[in-house]
Amino acid sequence: MPALLGLSLACPVALLLLTSQPLVVPSAVLLLVLVAAVAAEGVNVHVEFRRQSFHSSASEVAFVIALLEVGGAWTAATRAAAVAVVLLAHRLPTAKVVFNTAVAVLEAGVATAILALLPSGGLATPSTWLSSLLAVFAANVVGAGLVAGAITLTQGYPGRAIWTSLFVPVVVVQPVAVTIGLAILLLLHTTVWSLLLVVPMVVALVLVYRRFAAVTRQSHSLERVYEFARRVEQVEPDDAGTRQIVHAVRELLNAERVALWLPPYLDEGPRLVVATEDGADWYDGPGDSDDPLRRRAVGSTGGAIRVSAGRADERDTVALARRGVSELLGAPVTTAAGEPGYLEVCDRRSDIVSFGRSERGALESMLTHVNAAIRQQQLLTRIRFDADHDRLTGLPNRQRLAAEVDALLAEGAAGAGLILASLGTYADITDTLGHAASDELLLVTAGLLREHAPPRALLARMEREQFAVLLPGLSLAATEQAARRLREAAATRVRVAGLDLEVSLTIGVAAAPEHGTDAGTLMQRADVALLAAGGSGGVASYHPVLDQQSLRRLQLGTELAQAMADGQIGVVFQPVIDAQTSDIVSVETLVRWTHPRFGSIPPEDVIGLAEQIGRIGAVTDHVLDLALARCRRWLDQGISLSVAVNVSAFSLSEPDLVDRIRGALERHGVPGELLVLELTESSVVDDSVRESSVLEDLHDLGLRLSMDDFGTGYSSLSQLRQLPIDEVKIDKSFVLSMATSQGESFIARSIIELAHNLGLCVVAEGVEDEMTRNQLIAMGCDKLQGFLISRPLPEDRLEKWLLARTGVRSAAPGASHRRLFVRT
């Protein structure tokens, strides 16, 4: 369409020029003008819009010479011929050659008309110079307007940027070219020896114009990078955002297609995101890990690579042909997956301009923003993943399992089985070998369950030693069979911490819809079945009669007070030592309940039960009495040793807590400084506690307040400025992994440094090996607690341990009691 329109305008103008302008010109002059026009047209600045490319050249030098030397008709002819020759050499489409040739004729006609209207004298008169400048300027304005109109007609309105690209050369560069052309004519009319001056002048003009072209292209590249950065900042950190990034790269580099390949990450598989001219969402090549172009780009240390068909070797040529492209830019993408991603940009949409140094530089600049966006997406993926997955095994957690069960049942599934499996040896291994060994056993067990679970099963880790397996579409009978097969397959001996240990699972089974139609009910009934499985061959299915097991908790609640009176509920002690001197600075007092029927009741069950039935105050007083009684006996032996007692959030809300603790201290004759109260992080930052004076009142008794399990809640060290806290205990989940995880080690170091800055003492619990101990000492940790020093011991065994492992240090100056230290 633009070609026909241009031709319809150019033909009348050409005819008018032929009939109104002199045609007799010396052949030598005409030939020189034609050669100059062709040479000038070869120095171009290309302007792109989508698939179209338009150019601005230094042809005004030849243009003004032709106008003044050979007249309008021959100017139009030589200018049109030069444009046609140059564009045909670039193998442009015929329609584009016709359009640009027509524009050249129209520009000559406009310039000729302006010169005829304006006053002019000889070549040496200023009026001729001014008229020439105005004539060429008007011609170029018309030409630029026609080019902009053609772009708008074929591609849509291009925006303000295209006007800048087209008209800046008209205003800034082309008047200079006209001036140089006039100067050349003046010199040549003066003497033929002026060629010695003209040739360097022309060469300088060509170099300046080419430099202008390079600067223009670099400016466009910089604008593209800024625009890309702005757009990337606005995308959402999800799959749609990734697709928007790829489309932005394609648009701003004016490419036929762009592909972004990302490696597997967490529970996501590899992704290939593609943006193409035809809307295809896949093409062959970038997703292949053995593709030579991808491997070369990913392994490149020098930034983005550029490959073109004209300079490619045989392998690269095959890879380009596989994609159906002639040139490619490729670059690695930084990811959090431990494996780089890959971004490739194929074929410039322009029919003249190809990828060059500026596009390669623009892509490398864009990669900075691509990498940042991908890292942000993967950070959010990690946060979401951690929220519903177990950190140790990477399996879905209880929350995720519940969501999957509800979603499955909401879809109207015919049935679903739920297996709840408990690892029988977990507690013994933890007590005997430590948490590192039990964690290793959990990982091995998770691997066994993954290996032997049915293909469609969803495996999850619940808490501690419990795993769950969701079996979509299975009946109760089929779930029971699957549970037995799974238990048998997992019943094997594995090597953990240098020992051959047996994996033994106890399994509870529930099925929908027989046992429940929602996740909460189904999981609760599988848990009830698990409790019953210990006495039924290791596998038990839910039955309503098993609900009577819940009476166990009720029975324990009714027996709690009598158990304390009868001595069933007692305490064990775990020493805490000074990290620098190995002095035993305190012992933590931990509750234990040995039931004559149910055996050992886990401490968390004792506390949870006491809180539920409102007896936590009585349990706290009982443990406090036992701890202070032990402390008093040490004082009677001339030994100063603090005792630490845990106080729950429920106890902090009791109005008489301070009076009860004051009374216990007075009753046992123990000074307040020998008592440490360990408070949970969540209880300390609870609004009701912070708004009351309970912490200040406790601190006024002279005792020390310690924040237990710090780092697992929602407080920050800065919040502790307003609280009368004396020390923080780093949660053992950080300490246990310090020897193998730089992240956990960094967290521990940060807590220690910040706590010291606030004047707080730091205790590390969970110290199980010498490497961790040495790290903590180097970090400046004040106190250590864990299996490396001693396990929690009952009173009689603690006495034996003290006799065997400790020495007595004389009382410090001004003190009346001796101190104990651990002998090395």
Side-chain angles (χ1 to χ4, degrees):
M1 184 67 177
L4 292 176
L5 185 60
L7 197 60
S8 65
L9 294 173
C11 287
V13 171
L15 184 61
L16 183 62
L17 289 172
L18 287 172
T19 57
S20 63
Q21 295 290 309
L23 299 178
V24 179
V25 177
S27 300
V29 173
L30 190 61
L31 181 61
L32 287 174
V33 169
L34 178 61
V35 171
V38 171
E41 285 291 339
V43 183
N44 291 318
V45 175
H46 294 285
V47 178
E48 291 181 86
F49 183 71
R50 297 176 185 165
R51 285 187 169 277
Q52 303 301 322
S53 296
F54 299 88
H55 68 278
S56 171
S57 68
S59 59
E60 285 69 26
V61 174
F63 191 13
V64 71
I65 291 173
L67 282 172
L68 297 177
E69 288 296 315
V70 299
W74 285 115
T75 298
T78 55
R79 187 169 173 80
V83 169
V85 168
V86 171
L87 297 186
L88 287 172
H90 282 98
R91 299 180 180 179
L92 263 65
T94 303
K96 182 164 288 190
V97 175
V98 170
F99 173 77
N100 282 276
T101 303
V103 170
V105 173
L106 290 170
E107 288 176 341
V110 170
T112 301
I114 297 296
L115 280 176
L117 293 174
L118 295 176
S120 62
L123 182 62
T125 61
S127 61
T128 301
W129 304 342
L130 181 59
S131 297
S132 299
L133 279 169
L134 292 175
V136 175
F137 178 78
N140 286 332
V141 168
V142 171
L146 289 171
V147 170
I151 293 176
T152 303
L153 189 62
T154 57
Q155 301 290 325
Y157 180 65
R160 187 172 58 186
I162 195 68
W163 300 105
T164 302
S165 300
L166 288 174
F167 285 97
V168 165
V170 171
V171 175
V172 177
V173 177
Q174 291 170 359
V176 176
V178 172
T179 303
I180 293 174
L182 291 170
I184 291 172
L185 271 180
L186 284 170
L187 289 172
L188 290 175
H189 276 260
T190 302
T191 173
V192 72
W193 291 105
S194 63
L195 284 172
L196 297 176
L197 300 175
V198 168
V199 172
M201 186 187 304
V202 171
V203 171
L205 175 63
V206 170
L207 294 176
V208 169
Y209 205 77
R210 287 191 171 180
R211 180 57 186 164
F212 171 76
V215 170
T216 300
R217 198 165 182 177
Q218 290 172 1
S219 174
H220 291 167
S221 296
L222 189 59
E223 289 177 5
R224 288 197 295 265
V225 172
Y226 286 153
E227 173 65 15
F228 181 79
R230 185 188 64 80
R231 292 174 63 173
V232 167
E233 288 177 356
Q234 296 173 354
V235 303
E236 294 295 326
D238 53 19
D239 289 344
T242 306
R243 191 166 298 279
Q244 291 173 11
I245 291 172
V246 174
H247 279 280
V249 173
R250 175 176 170 269
E251 180 177 338
L252 294 173
L253 288 179
N254 199 27
E256 285 279 356
R257 61 178 72 164
V258 173
L260 172 64
W261 181 86
L262 296 174
Y265 184 62
L266 300 177
D267 57 349
E268 297 178 347
R271 288 189 294 158
L272 180 64
V273 183
V274 172
T276 63
E277 181 75 15
D278 57 6
D281 58 3
W282 180 88
Y283 67 90
D284 194 17
D288 181 4
S289 59
D290 293 325
D291 179 74
L293 298 180
R294 172 175 150 182
R295 295 182 66 179
R296 180 176 158 195
V298 168
S300 171
T301 58
I305 66 165
R306 177 180 177 270
V307 181
S308 61
R311 298 183 178 181
D313 58 24
E314 183 177 351
R315 292 185 64 197
D316 289 349
T317 301
V318 172
L320 290 173
R322 177 185 187 184
R323 293 164 168 79
V325 302
S326 59
E327 63 175 341
L328 174 146
L329 294 175
V333 174
T334 304
T335 73
E339 178 183 357
Y342 170 61
L343 177 68
E344 71 174 30
V345 183
C346 299
D347 279 355
R348 197 70 174 262
R349 284 194 288 178
S350 167
D351 46 15
I352 294 180
V353 182
S354 60
F355 293 129
R357 182 178 300 175
S358 63
E359 283 73 31
R360 180 179 172 184
L363 178 61
E364 290 175 349
S365 298
M366 290 179 185
L367 277 173
T368 302
H369 304 284
V370 172
N371 290 336
I374 296 301
R375 284 196 298 269
Q376 181 184 9
Q377 291 180 8
Q378 292 184 329
L379 173 62
L380 292 177
T381 299
R382 164 59 73 179
I383 292 172
R384 288 192 292 265
F385 182 87
D386 288 346
D388 57 12
H389 285 76
D390 172 55
R391 195 170 181 183
L392 175 65
T393 62
L395 295 174
N397 57 17
R398 176 183 287 273
Q399 175 182 323
R400 174 69 178 275
L401 176 67
E404 294 288 343
V405 172
D406 283 334
L408 180 65
L409 298 179
E411 292 172 359
L418 181 63
I419 294 173
L420 200 60
S422 178
L423 184 58
T425 54
Y426 175 83
D428 291 339
I429 291 173
T430 302
D431 291 341
T432 306
L433 301 177
H435 287 281
S438 59
D439 285 349
E440 186 178 350
L441 180 62
L442 287 172
L443 289 170
V444 171
T445 305
L448 290 171
L449 292 174
R450 280 194 186 99
E451 180 181 355
H452 298 291
R456 294 182 56 208
L458 173 68
L459 182 62
R461 183 187 174 199
M462 306 298 275
E463 57 274 318
R464 290 176 58 84
E465 73 274 21
Q466 288 189 3
F467 293 88
V469 184
L470 176 62
L471 303 169
L474 265 62
S475 64
L476 176 59
T479 303
E480 290 172 341
Q481 292 178 1
R484 291 188 178 91
R485 286 195 299 268
L486 195 60
R487 185 173 187 271
E488 292 171 2
T492 183
R493 297 189 70 82
V494 297
R495 192 159 188 82
V496 173
L499 299 175
D500 289 329
L501 303 177
E502 184 176 355
V503 176
S504 176
L505 297 178
T506 303
I507 293 179
V509 174
E514 294 94 330
H515 301 148
T517 56
D518 64 85
T521 303
L522 206 59
M523 292 164 67
Q524 184 268 333
R525 289 180 172 172
D527 199 28
V528 169
L530 178 62
L531 292 174
S536 59
V539 177
S541 296
Y542 172 78
H543 189 278
V545 73
L546 296 178
D547 282 331
Q548 296 177 6
Q549 297 289 339
S550 60
L551 295 174
R552 171 180 178 270
R553 188 173 181 83
L554 179 60
Q555 180 180 346
L556 290 175
T558 60
E559 296 177 356
L560 186 66
Q562 190 61 43
M564 288 188 286
D566 293 344
Q568 294 177 18
I569 296 180
V571 294
V572 293
F573 302 93
Q574 187 172 29
V576 179
I577 67 169
D578 185 286
Q580 301 298 326
T581 65
S582 294
D583 285 2
I584 302 177
V585 292
S586 66
V587 291
E588 182 177 1
T589 312
L590 304 167
V591 67
R592 293 291 187 269
W593 185 359
T594 304
H595 194 278
R597 177 182 174 188
F598 300 124
S600 179
I601 309 298
E604 58 269 23
D605 288 354
V606 178
I607 301 302
L609 175 64
E611 290 178 340
Q612 184 178 5
I613 64 174
R615 300 288 294 170
I616 187 62
V619 172
T620 301
D621 291 346
H622 180 68
V623 173
L624 183 63
D625 275 331
L626 294 175
L628 293 177
R630 176 67 269 185
C631 184
R632 179 68 259 173
R633 287 194 288 275
W634 278 322
L635 287 173
D636 293 341
Q637 297 170 13
I639 295 172
S640 175
L641 189 56
S642 297
V643 289
V645 175
N646 290 278
V647 177
S648 76
F650 283 84
S651 294
L652 286 176
S653 63
E654 294 175 326
D656 62 342
L657 175 66
V658 177
D659 292 336
R660 295 194 337 253
I661 292 177
R662 182 188 293 110
L665 290 170
E666 293 172 353
R667 187 166 57 253
H668 292 281
V670 173
E673 61 265 22
L674 292 183
L675 176 61
V676 180
L677 295 185
E678 296 193 1
L679 315 172
T680 61
E681 184 177 357
S682 59
S683 68
V684 169
V685 298
D686 182 80
D687 289 341
S688 62
V689 173
R690 295 178 66 183
E691 291 171 1
S692 71
S693 62
V694 62
L695 297 181
E696 288 78 4
D697 293 342
L698 289 171
H699 204 264
D700 290 343
L701 296 178
L703 49 80
R704 295 173 60 83
L705 297 180
S706 174
M707 180 181 284
D708 198 12
D709 300 333
F710 184 80
T712 60
Y714 299 98
S715 68
S716 64
L717 284 168
S718 62
Q719 289 178 285
L720 304 187
R721 292 180 182 274
Q722 294 85 33
L723 300 173
I725 300 297
D726 299 288
E727 69 180 26
V728 294
K729 296 187 74 173
I730 305 174
D731 185 68
K732 63 183 177 183
S733 63
F734 300 121
V735 177
L736 289 171
S737 305
M738 280 179 55
T740 57
S741 171
Q742 290 185 349
E744 309 295 358
S745 180
F746 175 78
I747 292 173
R749 182 186 298 275
S750 299
I751 292 174
I752 292 170
E753 291 177 354
L754 291 173
H756 284 170
N757 289 338
L758 294 174
L760 301 176
C761 181
V762 182
V763 183
E765 56 180 338
V767 181
E768 297 191 359
D769 56 74
E770 290 289 348
M771 181 180 295
T772 302
R773 173 179 180 159
N774 294 337
Q775 282 184 279
L776 289 165
I777 292 175
M779 293 176 185
C781 185
D782 302 292
K783 302 176 185 178
L784 307 176
Q785 177 182 357
F787 286 3
L788 180 66
I789 293 93
S790 173
R791 301 180 183 282
L793 301 172
E795 184 174 355
D796 57 341
R797 290 181 58 189
L798 176 66
E799 287 297 317
K800 295 177 181 178
W801 184 88
L802 291 174
L803 288 173
R805 293 287 307 279
T806 66
V808 178
R809 205 184 300 278
S810 59
S816 58
H817 296 89
R818 296 170 296 163
R819 294 166 294 163
L820 299 178
F821 67 93
V822 178
R823 293 195 296 265
T824 57

PDB file of all heavy atoms in Angstrom, residues 655-675:
ATOM      1  N   PRO A 655      -2.398 -14.654  88.009  1.00  0.00           N
ATOM      2  CA  PRO A 655      -2.150 -13.441  88.805  1.00  0.00           C
ATOM      3  C   PRO A 655      -1.282 -13.660  90.033  1.00  0.00           C
ATOM      4  O   PRO A 655      -0.647 -12.720  90.521  1.00  0.00           O
ATOM      5  CB  PRO A 655      -3.558 -12.979  89.188  1.00  0.00           C
ATOM      6  CG  PRO A 655      -4.423 -14.199  89.067  1.00  0.00           C
ATOM      7  CD  PRO A 655      -3.834 -15.024  87.980  1.00  0.00           C
ATOM      8  N   ASP A 656      -1.268 -14.895  90.586  1.00  0.00           N
ATOM      9  CA  ASP A 656      -0.500 -15.135  91.812  1.00  0.00           C
ATOM     10  C   ASP A 656       0.851 -15.777  91.542  1.00  0.00           C
ATOM     11  O   ASP A 656       1.502 -16.269  92.465  1.00  0.00           O
ATOM     12  CB  ASP A 656      -1.317 -16.013  92.770  1.00  0.00           C
ATOM     13  CG  ASP A 656      -1.614 -17.381  92.161  1.00  0.00           C
ATOM     14  OD1 ASP A 656      -1.496 -17.529  90.918  1.00  0.00           O
ATOM     15  OD2 ASP A 656      -1.971 -18.303  92.931  1.00  0.00           O
ATOM     16  N   LEU A 657       1.312 -15.785  90.289  1.00  0.00           N
ATOM     17  CA  LEU A 657       2.567 -16.462  89.962  1.00  0.00           C
ATOM     18  C   LEU A 657       3.738 -15.878  90.735  1.00  0.00           C
ATOM     19  O   LEU A 657       4.549 -16.612  91.315  1.00  0.00           O
ATOM     20  CB  LEU A 657       2.836 -16.360  88.446  1.00  0.00           C
ATOM     21  CG  LEU A 657       4.184 -16.936  87.985  1.00  0.00           C
ATOM     22  CD1 LEU A 657       4.225 -18.443  88.198  1.00  0.00           C
ATOM     23  CD2 LEU A 657       4.458 -16.583  86.526  1.00  0.00           C
ATOM     24  N   VAL A 658       3.848 -14.563  90.794  1.00  0.00           N
ATOM     25  CA  VAL A 658       4.992 -13.927  91.466  1.00  0.00           C
ATOM     26  C   VAL A 658       4.993 -14.271  92.949  1.00  0.00           C
ATOM     27  O   VAL A 658       6.048 -14.614  93.529  1.00  0.00           O
ATOM     28  CB  VAL A 658       4.945 -12.401  91.249  1.00  0.00           C
ATOM     29  CG1 VAL A 658       6.083 -11.723  92.011  1.00  0.00           C
ATOM     30  CG2 VAL A 658       5.016 -12.067  89.761  1.00  0.00           C
ATOM     31  N   ASP A 659       3.837 -14.246  93.588  1.00  0.00           N
ATOM     32  CA  ASP A 659       3.761 -14.563  95.021  1.00  0.00           C
ATOM     33  C   ASP A 659       4.140 -16.017  95.275  1.00  0.00           C
ATOM     34  O   ASP A 659       4.814 -16.323  96.273  1.00  0.00           O
ATOM     35  CB  ASP A 659       2.345 -14.292  95.533  1.00  0.00           C
ATOM     36  CG  ASP A 659       2.008 -12.798  95.535  1.00  0.00           C
ATOM     37  OD1 ASP A 659       2.961 -11.985  95.600  1.00  0.00           O
ATOM     38  OD2 ASP A 659       0.811 -12.462  95.445  1.00  0.00           O
ATOM     39  N   ARG A 660       3.721 -16.909  94.370  1.00  0.00           N
ATOM     40  CA  ARG A 660       4.039 -18.333  94.566  1.00  0.00           C
ATOM     41  C   ARG A 660       5.539 -18.577  94.441  1.00  0.00           C
ATOM     42  O   ARG A 660       6.128 -19.353  95.196  1.00  0.00           O
ATOM     43  CB  ARG A 660       3.276 -19.182  93.544  1.00  0.00           C
ATOM     44  CG  ARG A 660       1.755 -19.108  93.747  1.00  0.00           C
ATOM     45  CD  ARG A 660       0.969 -20.166  93.004  1.00  0.00           C
ATOM     46  NE  ARG A 660       1.578 -20.759  91.878  1.00  0.00           N
ATOM     47  CZ  ARG A 660       1.235 -20.523  90.592  1.00  0.00           C
ATOM     48  NH1 ARG A 660       0.291 -19.607  90.328  1.00  0.00           N
ATOM     49  NH2 ARG A 660       1.824 -21.156  89.623  1.00  0.00           N
ATOM     50  N   ILE A 661       6.183 -17.924  93.486  1.00  0.00           N
ATOM     51  CA  ILE A 661       7.628 -18.113  93.312  1.00  0.00           C
ATOM     52  C   ILE A 661       8.381 -17.485  94.484  1.00  0.00           C
ATOM     53  O   ILE A 661       9.358 -18.062  95.004  1.00  0.00           O
ATOM     54  CB  ILE A 661       8.080 -17.515  91.965  1.00  0.00           C
ATOM     55  CG1 ILE A 661       7.493 -18.346  90.806  1.00  0.00           C
ATOM     56  CG2 ILE A 661       9.599 -17.462  91.872  1.00  0.00           C
ATOM     57  CD1 ILE A 661       7.807 -17.817  89.436  1.00  0.00           C
ATOM     58  N   ARG A 662       7.937 -16.327  94.942  1.00  0.00           N
ATOM     59  CA  ARG A 662       8.571 -15.713  96.108  1.00  0.00           C
ATOM     60  C   ARG A 662       8.456 -16.639  97.319  1.00  0.00           C
ATOM     61  O   ARG A 662       9.433 -16.838  98.064  1.00  0.00           O
ATOM     62  CB  ARG A 662       7.915 -14.358  96.420  1.00  0.00           C
ATOM     63  CG  ARG A 662       8.568 -13.652  97.614  1.00  0.00           C
ATOM     64  CD  ARG A 662       7.801 -12.419  98.038  1.00  0.00           C
ATOM     65  NE  ARG A 662       7.847 -11.374  97.018  1.00  0.00           N
ATOM     66  CZ  ARG A 662       6.810 -11.004  96.283  1.00  0.00           C
ATOM     67  NH1 ARG A 662       5.618 -11.601  96.464  1.00  0.00           N
ATOM     68  NH2 ARG A 662       6.911 -10.049  95.384  1.00  0.00           N
ATOM     69  N   GLY A 663       7.278 -17.215  97.486  1.00  0.00           N
ATOM     70  CA  GLY A 663       7.083 -18.127  98.612  1.00  0.00           C
ATOM     71  C   GLY A 663       7.965 -19.349  98.509  1.00  0.00           C
ATOM     72  O   GLY A 663       8.502 -19.841  99.519  1.00  0.00           O
ATOM     73  N   ALA A 664       8.134 -19.911  97.285  1.00  0.00           N
ATOM     74  CA  ALA A 664       8.984 -21.095  97.114  1.00  0.00           C
ATOM     75  C   ALA A 664      10.433 -20.768  97.449  1.00  0.00           C
ATOM     76  O   ALA A 664      11.138 -21.567  98.091  1.00  0.00           O
ATOM     77  CB  ALA A 664       8.857 -21.605  95.682  1.00  0.00           C
ATOM     78  N   LEU A 665      10.918 -19.612  97.014  1.00  0.00           N
ATOM     79  CA  LEU A 665      12.294 -19.222  97.324  1.00  0.00           C
ATOM     80  C   LEU A 665      12.493 -19.094  98.833  1.00  0.00           C
ATOM     81  O   LEU A 665      13.506 -19.555  99.393  1.00  0.00           O
ATOM     82  CB  LEU A 665      12.628 -17.895  96.628  1.00  0.00           C
ATOM     83  CG  LEU A 665      12.774 -17.933  95.092  1.00  0.00           C
ATOM     84  CD1 LEU A 665      12.846 -16.517  94.532  1.00  0.00           C
ATOM     85  CD2 LEU A 665      14.021 -18.731  94.700  1.00  0.00           C
ATOM     86  N   GLU A 666      11.525 -18.481  99.508  1.00  0.00           N
ATOM     87  CA  GLU A 666      11.644 -18.303 100.958  1.00  0.00           C
ATOM     88  C   GLU A 666      11.526 -19.641 101.675  1.00  0.00           C
ATOM     89  O   GLU A 666      12.242 -19.899 102.651  1.00  0.00           O
ATOM     90  CB  GLU A 666      10.552 -17.347 101.440  1.00  0.00           C
ATOM     91  CG  GLU A 666      10.730 -15.917 100.934  1.00  0.00           C
ATOM     92  CD  GLU A 666       9.544 -15.033 101.263  1.00  0.00           C
ATOM     93  OE1 GLU A 666       8.532 -15.582 101.776  1.00  0.00           O
ATOM     94  OE2 GLU A 666       9.610 -13.807 101.016  1.00  0.00           O
ATOM     95  N   ARG A 667      10.646 -20.490 101.182  1.00  0.00           N
ATOM     96  CA  ARG A 667      10.428 -21.787 101.826  1.00  0.00           C
ATOM     97  C   ARG A 667      11.679 -22.657 101.771  1.00  0.00           C
ATOM     98  O   ARG A 667      11.991 -23.384 102.721  1.00  0.00           O
ATOM     99  CB  ARG A 667       9.250 -22.483 101.136  1.00  0.00           C
ATOM    100  CG  ARG A 667       8.803 -23.765 101.815  1.00  0.00           C
ATOM    101  CD  ARG A 667       7.444 -24.235 101.303  1.00  0.00           C
ATOM    102  NE  ARG A 667       7.410 -24.451  99.864  1.00  0.00           N
ATOM    103  CZ  ARG A 667       6.794 -23.664  99.000  1.00  0.00           C
ATOM    104  NH1 ARG A 667       6.183 -22.563  99.430  1.00  0.00           N
ATOM    105  NH2 ARG A 667       6.803 -23.936  97.717  1.00  0.00           N
ATOM    106  N   HIS A 668      12.397 -22.604 100.676  1.00  0.00           N
ATOM    107  CA  HIS A 668      13.596 -23.444 100.532  1.00  0.00           C
ATOM    108  C   HIS A 668      14.871 -22.698 100.904  1.00  0.00           C
ATOM    109  O   HIS A 668      15.946 -23.317 100.929  1.00  0.00           O
ATOM    110  CB  HIS A 668      13.716 -23.935  99.084  1.00  0.00           C
ATOM    111  CG  HIS A 668      12.649 -24.910  98.696  1.00  0.00           C
ATOM    112  ND1 HIS A 668      12.678 -26.235  99.044  1.00  0.00           N
ATOM    113  CD2 HIS A 668      11.488 -24.740  97.996  1.00  0.00           C
ATOM    114  CE1 HIS A 668      11.615 -26.863  98.563  1.00  0.00           C
ATOM    115  NE2 HIS A 668      10.871 -25.971  97.923  1.00  0.00           N
ATOM    116  N   GLY A 669      14.753 -21.417 101.211  1.00  0.00           N
ATOM    117  CA  GLY A 669      15.934 -20.665 101.604  1.00  0.00           C
ATOM    118  C   GLY A 669      16.949 -20.513 100.493  1.00  0.00           C
ATOM    119  O   GLY A 669      18.163 -20.567 100.729  1.00  0.00           O
ATOM    120  N   VAL A 670      16.465 -20.324  99.275  1.00  0.00           N
ATOM    121  CA  VAL A 670      17.350 -20.178  98.113  1.00  0.00           C
ATOM    122  C   VAL A 670      17.300 -18.726  97.644  1.00  0.00           C
ATOM    123  O   VAL A 670      16.209 -18.181  97.448  1.00  0.00           O
ATOM    124  CB  VAL A 670      16.910 -21.118  96.965  1.00  0.00           C
ATOM    125  CG1 VAL A 670      17.732 -20.844  95.710  1.00  0.00           C
ATOM    126  CG2 VAL A 670      17.049 -22.572  97.388  1.00  0.00           C
ATOM    127  N   PRO A 671      18.455 -18.088  97.502  1.00  0.00           N
ATOM    128  CA  PRO A 671      18.446 -16.705  97.006  1.00  0.00           C
ATOM    129  C   PRO A 671      17.948 -16.649  95.553  1.00  0.00           C
ATOM    130  O   PRO A 671      18.144 -17.585  94.772  1.00  0.00           O
ATOM    131  CB  PRO A 671      19.910 -16.277  97.107  1.00  0.00           C
ATOM    132  CG  PRO A 671      20.691 -17.558  97.113  1.00  0.00           C
ATOM    133  CD  PRO A 671      19.833 -18.585  97.774  1.00  0.00           C
ATOM    134  N   GLY A 672      17.344 -15.531  95.204  1.00  0.00           N
ATOM    135  CA  GLY A 672      16.755 -15.401  93.876  1.00  0.00           C
ATOM    136  C   GLY A 672      17.756 -15.536  92.746  1.00  0.00           C
ATOM    137  O   GLY A 672      17.422 -16.023  91.657  1.00  0.00           O
ATOM    138  N   GLU A 673      18.994 -15.131  92.983  1.00  0.00           N
ATOM    139  CA  GLU A 673      19.968 -15.179  91.896  1.00  0.00           C
ATOM    140  C   GLU A 673      20.322 -16.600  91.471  1.00  0.00           C
ATOM    141  O   GLU A 673      20.963 -16.801  90.420  1.00  0.00           O
ATOM    142  CB  GLU A 673      21.248 -14.409  92.269  1.00  0.00           C
ATOM    143  CG  GLU A 673      21.976 -14.953  93.487  1.00  0.00           C
ATOM    144  CD  GLU A 673      21.577 -14.208  94.753  1.00  0.00           C
ATOM    145  OE1 GLU A 673      20.479 -13.599  94.764  1.00  0.00           O
ATOM    146  OE2 GLU A 673      22.361 -14.231  95.711  1.00  0.00           O
ATOM    147  N   LEU A 674      19.939 -17.608  92.265  1.00  0.00           N
ATOM    148  CA  LEU A 674      20.206 -18.995  91.885  1.00  0.00           C
ATOM    149  C   LEU A 674      19.024 -19.645  91.155  1.00  0.00           C
ATOM    150  O   LEU A 674      19.034 -20.859  90.918  1.00  0.00           O
ATOM    151  CB  LEU A 674      20.550 -19.828  93.127  1.00  0.00           C
ATOM    152  CG  LEU A 674      21.873 -19.478  93.809  1.00  0.00           C
ATOM    153  CD1 LEU A 674      22.125 -20.414  94.979  1.00  0.00           C
ATOM    154  CD2 LEU A 674      23.025 -19.537  92.813  1.00  0.00           C
ATOM    155  N   LEU A 675      18.036 -18.863  90.785  1.00  0.00           N
ATOM    156  CA  LEU A 675      16.896 -19.390  90.039  1.00  0.00           C
ATOM    157  C   LEU A 675      16.815 -18.683  88.675  1.00  0.00           C
ATOM    158  O   LEU A 675      16.880 -17.458  88.598  1.00  0.00           O
ATOM    159  CB  LEU A 675      15.584 -19.163  90.807  1.00  0.00           C
ATOM    160  CG  LEU A 675      14.301 -19.591  90.080  1.00  0.00           C
ATOM    161  CD1 LEU A 675      14.302 -21.085  89.775  1.00  0.00           C
ATOM    162  CD2 LEU A 675      13.068 -19.206  90.895  1.00  0.00           C
TER     163      LEU A 675
END
